[in-house]
Amino acid sequence: MFRKFFTIFGTIGIFVVFGLLIAGIFMLRPQPERQEPEITAPSVFFTVANTQSVTLDVAAQGEVRPRTDINLTAQVAGRVVDTSDHFVNGGAFDEDDMLIKIEDADYRAAAAAAKARVAQAEQALRLEEAEADLARRDYEELDLGAGEQPSDLTLRIPQLAQARANFEAAQAEYDAARLNLERTTIRAPFPGRVRERIAGIGQYVTPGAQLGRIFSTDIAEIRLALTDNDLAKLGLPLAFTETEDEPGPVVRMSAMIAGETHHWEGRIARTEGAIDAATRQVIAIAVLDDPYGEGSDDGTPLAMGLYVDAVITGKPYENAIVLPRSALYGRDTVYSISEDDTLVAHKVNIVTTDRDTITIASGVEPGARIVTSPLRGASEGDEVSPADPLQGTPGAENPDEPDPASARTTAQNVTSGD
């Protein structure tokens, strides 16, 4: 009994002694000295703001169209007796060239008859004028009215008016007959080309019948869709029309024809002055004079229906600053690094933006170090550690710098933006 009691309490005593010994060791162990963490300024990339001359060109695409494209129709009835050798699909003609001749025998006869009626009416008018003059002299010599005014019938005034009206009607009928005779010869109203020939020799046509389709070649037009940002680059108002004192911007056009790239140079003549409700864009009309002649590219015309790429020359800026797009915070703010390595905010005047860069006209001094790294929660006056992107990733010397992957991505964006 006593042995069992001694064994139990002896074992408990041993555990207590070991516990006290371990507790003493931990109590005698020197405590580590507490140190405040050192806060370091975040490393940021930057680029130097340099001024340069910038021309804000605008790229667009459009289809070449003629200024005038009409249906050629007959104004008189008759059988087609002749057509011009140029009145074929694709045929070229000059202004006032004969295209179609309609049989004119009936119209020549009508004109001759109308001319005869004019002669008869003129003879009757001259005779009535003589009768009226004679009646006035007789009245004055006989003094039949004893000082009273003679009546119109006495002086044959109504008869004279009727004769004059008959003559004018006969003259108008003769003019109409001659006009119909002239209309039997259908002439080109402008220099151009035949898009489609419909009527041919032997075909009978009526007034209003379609004979073909023709288009002018004096001026080619290209409709180019522009955004509001494009208008700002070009410096064009919404309702622009060129004048001698204010010509439109130059347009350089190109297209691939028969495996070769050809170039033409035109100008913006006007804008349509309305915003498309579906696309929210404005249509600018580029023109090229004499596209099949002097305006051609070494004999290659700017053909109608051709789809071209166009580059419109924009406004020049002599002291613009081009920065990577990653330098922009919000709508119009960039940060620079001052001489004491603190952030300074700038409101800038942005003239244009694209996928990789922004172009500003004012708001930043040349030579300033512009931050191109993300600034999470930073504000003006915060201290930073500048790092040139050409010298490596910021924070590479400090393995404790957070988010190195984000810094590497920013460096790639800055390099591609420059």
Side-chain angles (χ1 to χ4, degrees):
M1 186 77 179
F2 177 76
R3 183 184 300 174
K4 185 176 181 180
F5 178 79
F6 179 78
T7 302
I8 294 173
F9 280 94
T11 303
I12 295 174
I14 292 172
F15 280 108
V16 171
V17 171
F18 274 105
L20 293 174
L21 181 61
I22 293 173
I25 292 174
F26 277 103
M27 291 178 62
L28 294 177
R29 181 183 179 184
Q31 295 294 326
E33 183 178 354
R34 295 181 60 85
Q35 295 181 351
E36 294 295 333
E38 181 180 357
I39 300 177
T40 60
S43 296
V44 294
F45 285 132
F46 71 88
T47 186
V48 178
N50 295 316
T51 60
Q52 56 183 291
S53 178
V54 175
T55 301
L56 303 179
D57 295 342
V58 173
Q61 294 176 322
E63 181 184 354
V64 181
R65 299 180 180 180
R67 170 165 289 186
T68 306
D69 191 344
I70 64 172
N71 292 326
L72 197 64
T73 57
Q75 292 181 282
V76 294
R79 184 173 59 89
V80 177
V81 295
D82 191 17
T83 59
S84 169
D85 293 338
H86 303 293
F87 190 62
V88 291
N89 290 358
F93 51 82
D94 293 324
E95 184 177 359
D96 208 38
D97 281 356
M98 189 277 291
L99 299 179
I100 297 176
K101 179 65 177 178
I102 296 176
E103 187 177 19
D104 61 358
D106 294 341
Y107 297 99
R108 284 190 285 107
K115 185 176 181 180
R117 286 190 291 272
V118 170
Q120 294 174 357
E122 185 178 10
Q123 181 185 9
L125 175 60
R126 298 292 176 261
L127 180 61
E128 192 57 48
E129 287 175 344
E131 292 287 347
D133 185 62
L134 181 61
R136 177 174 291 278
R137 286 202 307 268
D138 289 344
Y139 185 87
E140 292 175 351
E141 291 175 357
L142 296 175
D143 195 17
L144 300 177
E148 296 180 0
Q149 282 294 107
S151 65
D152 291 345
L153 287 176
T154 301
L155 300 180
R156 303 185 63 84
I157 292 178
Q159 294 88 330
L160 180 60
Q162 181 179 7
R164 184 174 290 112
N166 290 338
F167 172 74
E168 292 176 353
Q171 186 67 49
E173 184 180 354
Y174 175 55
D175 292 340
R178 285 195 308 167
L179 182 60
N180 285 335
L181 180 60
E182 292 176 0
R183 287 173 174 172
T184 59
T185 302
I186 300 174
R187 300 185 179 277
F190 45 71
R193 286 179 175 261
V194 178
R195 187 183 295 275
E196 180 184 10
R197 170 179 171 168
I198 298 176
I201 295 177
Q203 182 175 349
Y204 184 86
V205 296
T206 58
Q210 186 171 344
L211 307 177
R213 290 186 61 195
I214 60 175
F215 61 87
S216 62
T217 56
D218 53 346
I219 295 178
E221 295 188 342
I222 304 93
R223 301 176 76 252
L224 304 174
L226 304 178
T227 64
D228 184 69
N229 188 33
D230 294 335
L231 291 178
K233 291 181 181 180
L234 301 175
L236 289 179
L238 183 60
F240 169 78
T241 301
E242 70 168 353
T243 62
E244 292 184 2
D245 298 331
E246 187 181 1
V250 174
V251 182
R252 300 183 301 277
M253 294 167 283
S254 62
M256 185 74 70
I257 301 177
E260 296 184 3
T261 302
H262 295 271
H263 302 273
W264 304 267
E265 185 172 294
R267 67 189 187 280
I268 297 294
R270 65 188 184 277
T271 61
E272 291 189 350
I275 299 176
D276 188 279
T279 63
R280 312 309 301 172
Q281 293 179 322
V282 177
I283 301 300
I285 307 299
V287 299
L288 176 66
D289 297 328
D290 197 9
Y292 286 80
E294 294 183 359
S296 62
D297 178 36
D298 294 332
T300 302
L302 183 63
M304 305 303 166
L306 187 64
Y307 202 76
V308 297
D309 296 319
V311 177
I312 310 171
T313 303
K315 289 193 306 183
Y317 286 85
E318 297 298 331
N319 297 309
I321 296 176
V322 180
L323 298 174
R325 192 177 180 88
S326 58
L328 182 64
Y329 297 90
R331 295 178 60 88
D332 57 357
T333 302
V334 299
Y335 284 93
S336 67
I337 304 173
S338 64
E339 294 182 358
D340 59 355
D341 292 343
T342 58
L343 295 178
V344 179
H346 302 269
K347 294 291 184 180
V348 294
N349 177 23
I350 301 176
V351 294
T352 183
T353 62
D354 55 30
R355 188 187 64 169
D356 299 321
T357 62
I358 62 173
T359 303
I360 62 178
S362 61
V364 173
E365 293 295 328
R369 296 180 295 174
I370 305 301
V371 176
T372 58
S373 295
L375 297 174
R376 299 182 181 87
S379 60
E380 186 171 13
D382 289 352
E383 185 178 357
V384 294
S385 176
D388 190 332
L390 300 180
Q391 297 178 355
T393 303
E397 72 281 0
N398 185 2
D400 297 330
E401 178 71 13
D403 200 10
S406 175
R408 285 194 296 272
T409 303
T410 305
Q412 295 171 359
N413 292 338
V414 171
T415 303
S416 62
D418 293 339

